[in-house]
Amino acid sequence: LIAGMETTAITMSIMVWHLIKHPHVYEKLKDEVNTVFGDKEELDYDDLNKLVYLEQCFKEVLRIHPPSQISFRKTPDTEQVVDDILLPPKVEFSSPLRGSSTRRKTGRIP
């Protein structure tokens, strides 16, 4: 995640939108939270690691709606061949993140 309150707020809002659109996911997530925390008055930090489905939900939201639309990279210091494509050394390039999380032919989210 890119640091900042705005990106965090947007990610949280998108998560809520997806939970409303997919009530079965919301129910599964609610069950996990109720199972982990139960009737506790105070939250325990160690219990957060038990929220596996919650983490998966956030990762899916970030995959579908990345907070940054583009990623900047640099090729290694030596010449490389990837999928029969020659990558010259030390070349800076950008890659759209949205394109890397959708299907090539249809543009739909898998």
Side-chain angles (χ1 to χ4, degrees):
L1 239 163
I2 296 174
M5 294 184 310
E6 185 75 16
T7 53
T8 303
I10 290 169
T11 301
M12 296 289 287
S13 296
I14 293 170
M15 169 75 112
V16 170
W17 182 81
H18 277 284
L19 290 173
I20 290 168
K21 295 276 291 176
H22 304 281
H24 64 284
V25 174
Y26 169 74
E27 289 299 324
K28 186 173 178 177
L29 183 57
K30 185 175 75 170
D31 290 345
E32 179 184 67
V33 170
N34 288 336
T35 299
V36 171
F37 293 121
D39 294 332
K40 290 184 178 181
E41 299 248 343
E42 291 186 26
L43 304 180
D44 184 346
Y45 183 78
D46 292 331
D47 287 337
L48 294 177
N49 290 323
K50 298 175 186 172
L51 297 173
V52 176
Y53 192 65
L54 176 63
E55 181 179 0
Q56 292 170 343
C57 288
F58 272 114
K59 285 182 177 182
E60 183 66 358
V61 165
L62 290 169
R63 182 187 71 81
I64 297 169
H65 305 282
S68 175
Q69 296 300 312
I70 195 163
S71 175
F72 296 96
R73 297 284 188 250
K74 188 175 185 179
T75 59
D77 293 340
T78 59
E79 195 173 81
Q80 303 284 318
V81 176
V82 178
D83 291 335
D84 297 324
I85 298 171
L86 177 65
L87 300 176
K90 300 180 183 180
V91 173
E92 293 181 9
F93 65 97
S94 62
S95 172
L97 295 176
R98 177 73 177 184
S100 66
S101 64
T102 57
R103 292 184 181 162
R104 288 184 184 184
K105 290 185 180 181
T106 63
R108 293 185 180 170
I109 297 168

